[in-house]
Amino acid sequence: MIAHLRGRLFSKQPGQAIVEAGGVGYDVTISVPTFTALPAEGAEVSLFIHTQVREDILALFGFLDRREKRLFERLITVSGVGPKLAVTILSGLNAERTVAAIRAQDHATLTRIPGVGKKLAERLVVELKDKLDDMATTAPAVLAAGPAADDVLSALVNLGYQRPAAQKAIETAVGKNKAAGENFDELFRAALQVIR
């Protein structure tokens, strides 16, 4: 069972990364948040891995963030959610927003994800809302920062900043000016000043 993989990032594209370790290239399925946070091709990368073994398949699912892997593993316990759909869910909403939507019983947000209909959204809420308490503490800070916070966080991560540093910069910027959380441009500029 492969639980962790460290090596050279041979190639990456949305949904897939090939990591070369010990002369072997491992094909790893990844979410969009993991893809955007990956370093440049050729750099060393370290991924937490969930290995799916069936009689006809051996598939690796990789995550830069241990919390995202834990959420993925909880999602696949829900009937009707396989590993590919779990990756789609984590690509449609990042881990923080997925946890927040499930805990808030926000079916409308969940059904915006491709492949998640009304019944599956209800099943996700019913089966997981009480199983995500240990993950809830990671979410509210950025979500409470205002509607623009999530987009600014994504933009900062895309620019190469580490997610925890970006989150802290957003929180600091909103702490100085609460109204900044309402406007993407204003919050983005304020967060950049903090993070530099």
Side-chain angles (χ1 to χ4, degrees), residues 58-134:
L58 173 66
L60 305 179
F61 297 86
F63 310 92
L64 280 172
D65 183 36
R66 181 176 281 149
R67 206 171 59 239
E68 187 182 26
K69 180 185 179 217
R70 279 201 344 251
L71 179 56
F72 168 88
E73 289 173 340
R74 291 190 193 167
L75 287 170
I76 61 176
T77 65
V78 176
S79 58
V81 179
K84 284 202 163 56
L85 181 54
V87 167
T88 301
I89 292 169
L90 292 171
S91 296
L93 291 176
N94 64 28
E96 290 88 355
R97 288 179 65 195
T98 302
V99 169
I102 290 170
R103 295 190 82 232
Q105 301 179 39
D106 184 354
H107 298 105
T109 296
L110 294 169
T111 54
R112 282 192 219 121
I113 302 165
V116 178
K118 192 169 182 286
K119 284 192 171 142
L120 182 54
E122 288 168 2
R123 215 165 35 241
L124 285 166
V125 168
V126 169
E127 293 186 33
L128 293 180
K129 73 172 193 262
D130 297 327
K131 297 179 183 171
L132 301 175
D133 291 346
D134 61 323

Side-chain angles (χ1 to χ4, degrees), residues 6 11 17-19 26 39 45 52-53 60 73-74 79 88 96 100 130 139 141 146 150-151 166 172 183 187 190:
R6 185 172 67 222
S11 71
I18 296 177
V19 179
Y26 293 89
V45 69
Q52 179 196 24
V53 181
L60 305 179
E73 289 173 340
R74 291 190 193 167
S79 58
T88 301
E96 290 88 355
D130 297 327
D150 201 52
D151 292 333
T172 304
N183 180 294
L187 182 56

Side-chain angles (χ1 to χ4, degrees), residues 20 117 154:
E20 187 181 309
S154 179

